[in-house]
Amino acid sequence: MACKVELRVYDRDRAFTDDFMGAAEIDLASLTPTSEEVNLHLADENLNEELGYINLHASDSEPIREEMAIQAELLSSSPPKEPTPFLTVGCHAGIRGQRTIFPVAVATVQLVSGSNLPARDANGFSDPYVKFTMGKAKKKSKVCYKTLNPVWKDEFIFQLFNNESSTLDVTVWDKDNYRKDDFIGRCELNLWDIEREVTHSLQLGLLDTPGNLLFLITIHDIEPRENSLTSYDLSNLRTRYNKTATFQDLPDVGFAELKVISATGLRAADINGKSDPFCVVQLCNARAQTQTCYKTLDPVWNRVFTFPIRDIHDVFDICIFDSDNVTDREFLGRVAIPILRGVNGVERTYALKDRKLKERTKGTVTIQISYIYNPIRAAIRTLSPREEKYMEEDLKFKKNLLLSNFQRVWRLMQSIIATAEFINSCFTWVNPRRSAVAFMAFLVIVWNFELYMLPISLLMLLMKTYVDVFVRNQPLAAVESGKYSGSENDDDDVDEELSSNKPSLLQRLSALQEVLTKVQNILDFIASFGERVKNTFAWRVPFLSWLAVCVLCVVAVVLYYFPLRGIVLLWGINKFTKRLRKPNFVPNNEVMDFLSRVPSNVQIDDYREIPIEQGSPKNCKKKR
């Protein structure tokens, strides 16, 4: 006998009548004694739409069958009436209905720049901005004035529900103040077809008009997926990055796996004393994001992300935010970890820092970094220009930052002055013994000097520091970065000063800002150059110092066996003919490319780990 149970689903309303969301039936006669999963599709006789489903665990039992038999006997001797249903049910899944449509993925669209856009103004330029439309979602970028090659560096978030509603319509417009904005061009992109959990650099051409737009697009699944490497994957990676396969794919330096495990003791960002934290991981231009853990200060993500390594000296930038809605987020903490500074395959807990990586903020994050790389490819890549970080913020002029850079240069100048005074003291015979030794050393060195002795001298200096640090275990001296530690909203910004001055003074201050910004950047370059040379000899990055050792050995051998005149001649021929042999060659300086991988004191301070047991973090204002 058939005995059916009807299930009705409602939306609970406190002040009004509950809303009906759908109904389904289950036949008790079809159940078995063992618990089984049953999927029931919801329906409404008044609607012709898909209302979702309900997922149940159901089973029958001996009392149920006896009761059904009794009801069958009663029905045979009495008028028909509705049977009394008996059902053992456990509901463990959610319901999807018409009123609540959940996204399956989130797209992070980063608008980097445009190139070769057509002119729409009489001055031969345009004031371009970009509009994005996907379904009901609409976004707009900032305006870049008087340019055909704008740089926006804007980020937008879109939710993906299905393939039909995931087409992103992009239109470019020219901003006009006194009339309607001029249309420049458009393009389309189906975000649903893009590979998930991978950052894609896309150069899209505008339709029916010249010009291109550069995007960085990453699609993240709402539900976390398990993508840990298996032993088979690890075996393939070891073969792929084996030294015997070095010259098969030189740009592919290595492979990194980052597991974001959890965070503890985060700052409460919501009014209920909790936060809705999620974690964003960046490696150069690659980006990954965890799911959001709601109403907790101790989230557990257990997400595994994989990144291709293009430069072994790249840095993992890990930021934790509080999610307020789809697009708004509030900063909670940050930590920067160079790949080579991570302990391979070991779970580590790091204290969080503020947005500028200067002071400690509340909370810790636990991660695990695993990587495999080819050291020969990494060494070759080290002598090439670094990859540009498209979304890196441009530096603005700040008086405190200018003062900080000046102090860094002054410290280096003091070291140079002290060295010059020491050499001068040898000539003045202030200390007769020291001057006598210096005089004898000068005679011996000048009489016997050969050019190959120069790299050997630098090699001896490198090895002396290596023995002190790694053999004698002498600690490195703490760096004095003089790092700028101003707040996010400094009141000394020139932009704010401009707004409070008379129009006649605006041009002067604008010109002053331009000059001071150049001075600030020059000081930063000089200070970073000197600090990087110093840190190379201090073995701050052992990989780079060992690379310097190898290069100096090769240079010493070449200079020893080959005459200097022939080496200089070959070098000049190579430099003069390189453009003829390689028309697309990008001029570079191998020494400067090498030093760009050595961290300056500011970067070392960024990567410094703060002890977890250190005193309570400083109070910080909420920032959005």
Side-chain angles (χ1 to χ4, degrees):
M1 174 195 136
C3 182
K4 295 183 179 181
V5 172
E6 184 181 28
L7 304 177
R8 290 177 172 267
V9 181
Y10 292 89
D11 171 49
R12 174 67 174 172
D13 288 329
R14 294 181 179 271
F16 304 97
T17 305
D18 295 345
D19 298 324
F20 179 68
M21 299 182 66
E25 290 185 348
I26 182 172
D27 188 0
L28 299 183
S30 63
L31 301 180
T32 61
T34 59
S35 178
E36 61 181 5
E37 186 174 316
V38 180
N39 290 320
L40 302 177
H41 287 273
L42 299 176
D44 187 349
E45 58 183 10
N46 298 323
L47 293 175
N48 227 0
E49 301 177 7
E50 176 67 29
L51 298 181
Y53 66 91
I54 183 169
N55 197 353
L56 307 173
H57 275 177
S59 63
D60 73 344
S61 58
E62 190 65 30
I64 293 177
R65 288 195 296 271
E66 293 177 357
E67 184 66 28
M68 290 175 63
I70 295 173
Q71 289 186 22
E73 293 178 1
L74 293 175
L75 287 172
S76 61
S77 58
S78 62
K81 63 179 181 180
E82 290 292 329
T84 304
F86 292 86
L87 180 65
T88 304
V89 175
C91 179
H92 74 282
I95 303 165
R96 294 183 181 179
Q98 182 184 6
R99 296 170 181 81
T100 306
I101 303 177
F102 298 100
V104 297
V106 174
T108 302
V109 178
Q110 295 172 319
L111 174 63
V112 180
S113 62
S115 58
N116 303 319
L117 299 181
R120 289 290 185 265
D121 294 337
N123 58 7
F125 293 100
S126 294
D127 304 323
Y129 68 94
V130 180
K131 290 182 179 180
F132 298 90
T133 304
M134 191 177 73
K136 296 182 179 180
K138 295 183 179 180
K139 312 282 184 181
K140 189 170 91 169
S141 74
K142 64 184 179 184
V143 180
C144 294
Y145 292 96
K146 296 182 181 180
T147 179
L148 301 180
N149 299 285
V151 178
W152 290 288
K153 295 186 178 181
D154 283 343
E155 182 178 302
F156 306 96
I157 306 296
F158 295 93
Q159 291 183 323
L160 304 185
F161 297 91
N162 51 54
N163 188 16
E164 290 74 19
S165 61
S166 299
T167 299
L168 181 65
D169 184 68
V170 183
T171 56
V172 187
W173 299 81
D174 169 57
K175 179 69 175 178
D176 289 322
N177 292 327
Y178 303 108
R179 56 192 177 91
K180 187 177 180 181
D181 295 346
D182 298 323
F183 178 76
I184 294 179
R186 64 179 297 273
C187 59
E188 284 187 354
L189 179 64
N190 191 343
L191 300 179
W192 191 267
D193 297 335
I194 296 178
E195 182 182 357
R196 308 289 172 87
E197 309 298 341
V198 177
T199 300
H200 303 269
S201 177
L202 302 179
Q203 186 93 18
L204 299 182
L206 299 179
L207 301 177
D208 302 326
T209 188
N212 300 283
L213 299 179
L214 177 60
F215 294 92
L216 292 178
I217 299 179
T218 312
I219 312 295
H220 310 286
D221 286 316
I222 295 294
E223 295 295 332
R225 296 185 300 174
E226 181 63 33
N227 58 346
S228 298
L229 297 178
T230 64
S231 57
Y232 178 75
D233 296 330
L234 292 174
S235 176
N236 286 340
L237 289 173
R238 293 190 184 97
T239 304
R240 180 177 176 181
Y241 299 111
N242 193 284
K243 294 179 182 178
T244 58
T246 295
F247 298 99
Q248 293 181 3
D249 189 5
L250 284 178
D252 188 11
V253 173
F255 186 87
E257 179 186 77
L258 177 69
K259 183 176 183 180
V260 184
I261 300 172
S262 62
T264 57
L266 298 178
R267 177 172 60 86
D270 296 336
I271 195 171
N272 60 1
K274 301 291 184 180
S275 293
D276 304 322
F278 67 94
C279 183
V280 174
V281 181
Q282 289 182 299
L283 184 68
C284 196
N285 289 315
R287 187 181 189 276
Q289 179 177 321
T290 69
Q291 73 277 15
T292 301
C293 296
Y294 293 95
K295 297 180 181 179
T296 179
L297 301 180
D298 304 300
V300 177
W301 294 293
N302 282 326
R303 288 294 299 271
V304 178
F305 303 109
T306 56
F307 299 89
I309 299 177
R310 302 300 181 188
D311 192 334
I312 195 62
H313 310 289
D314 282 338
V315 179
F316 281 111
D317 191 353
I318 302 170
C319 295
I320 299 178
F321 298 94
D322 169 65
S323 176
D324 292 330
N325 52 46
V326 178
T327 56
D328 291 343
R329 61 187 185 184
E330 185 173 347
F331 177 81
L332 296 179
R334 179 185 179 191
V335 64
I337 307 167
I339 296 176
L340 291 176
R341 289 282 293 273
V343 183
N344 200 353
V346 177
E347 182 178 313
R348 292 285 304 275
T349 299
Y350 297 87
L352 294 176
K353 300 181 184 181
D354 59 13
R355 194 184 295 271
K356 290 184 176 294
L357 296 170
K358 179 62 179 177
E359 302 291 342
R360 181 182 173 183
T361 190
K362 194 173 182 182
T364 62
V365 61
T366 301
I367 64 172
Q368 178 179 317
I369 300 176
S370 304
Y371 55 87
I372 299 174
Y373 71 98
N374 184 300
I376 301 177
R377 294 182 191 173
I380 295 174
R381 183 68 183 87
T382 300
L383 302 177
S384 303
R386 299 198 76 154
E387 181 180 356
E388 178 187 1
K389 289 189 70 173
Y390 292 126
M391 297 301 291
E392 190 172 25
E393 294 183 2
D394 296 328
L395 290 177
K396 295 182 179 180
F397 172 74
K398 299 182 185 297
K399 290 186 291 188
N400 288 350
L401 182 57
L402 176 63
L403 178 61
S404 171
N405 290 339
F406 176 78
Q407 291 173 346
R408 292 166 59 196
V409 174
W410 178 244
R411 277 196 295 270
L412 291 175
M413 291 299 297
Q414 286 179 319
S415 301
I416 296 174
I417 292 172
T419 304
E421 290 177 350
F422 173 81
I423 296 174
N424 186 58
S425 67
C426 294
F427 291 112
T428 57
W429 293 82
V430 174
N431 187 328
R433 180 180 178 182
R434 183 174 60 193
S435 296
V437 171
F439 179 66
M440 295 301 298
F442 172 77
L443 293 177
V444 172
I445 292 172
V446 171
W447 183 260
N448 298 283
F449 178 77
E450 296 289 344
L451 197 57
Y452 68 85
M453 295 180 181
L454 183 59
I456 289 179
S457 302
L458 298 176
L459 180 62
M460 292 173 62
L461 181 59
L462 272 170
M463 296 310 299
K464 175 187 177 300
T465 311
Y466 175 81
V467 172
D468 291 340
V469 174
F470 295 100
V471 178
R472 298 179 180 176
N473 294 323
Q474 294 181 0
L476 289 169
V479 299
E480 297 180 19
S481 65
K483 186 177 176 183
Y484 165 66
S485 57
S487 64
E488 287 291 319
N489 300 314
D490 291 322
D491 55 5
D492 61 344
D493 288 352
V494 167
D495 293 338
E496 296 180 7
E497 293 178 356
L498 292 178
S499 62
S500 61
N501 289 318
K502 297 180 180 179
S504 59
L505 200 57
L506 289 177
Q507 294 180 349
R508 296 180 185 178
L509 289 179
S510 178
L512 176 63
Q513 177 183 355
E514 235 180 281
V515 173
L516 291 179
T517 300
K518 290 180 181 178
V519 173
Q520 167 188 292
N521 294 337
I522 290 172
L523 291 177
D524 178 72
F525 174 82
I526 296 173
S528 297
F529 178 85
E531 291 167 355
R532 283 170 172 153
V533 173
K534 174 185 173 184
N535 291 334
T536 300
F537 288 92
W539 291 81
R540 293 287 182 181
V541 182
F543 178 92
L544 291 172
S545 297
W546 274 119
L547 178 59
V549 168
C550 296
V551 172
L552 290 173
C553 289
V554 172
V555 172
V557 171
V558 170
L559 291 175
Y560 179 79
Y561 285 104
F562 297 91
L564 180 60
R565 183 177 289 103
I567 295 174
V568 173
L569 184 62
L570 291 175
W571 175 84
I573 294 173
N574 176 65
K575 284 293 184 180
F576 277 103
T577 61
K578 185 170 287 188
R579 177 68 69 179
L580 299 176
R581 291 182 283 111
K582 299 179 179 179
N584 297 325
F585 167 73
V586 178
N588 71 298
N589 186 310
E590 288 79 8
V591 175
M592 297 302 296
D593 291 335
F594 171 86
L595 289 176
S596 69
R597 269 65 172 202
V598 181
S600 64
N601 288 358
V602 171
Q603 291 173 318
I604 291 176
D605 192 55
D606 289 347
Y607 309 150
R608 172 178 54 91
E609 296 182 26
I610 300 178
I612 298 175
E613 62 274 5
Q614 185 172 319
S616 59
K618 296 183 178 181
N619 294 329
C620 56
K621 297 180 181 179
K622 291 185 178 181
K623 301 167 188 172
R624 291 186 181 273

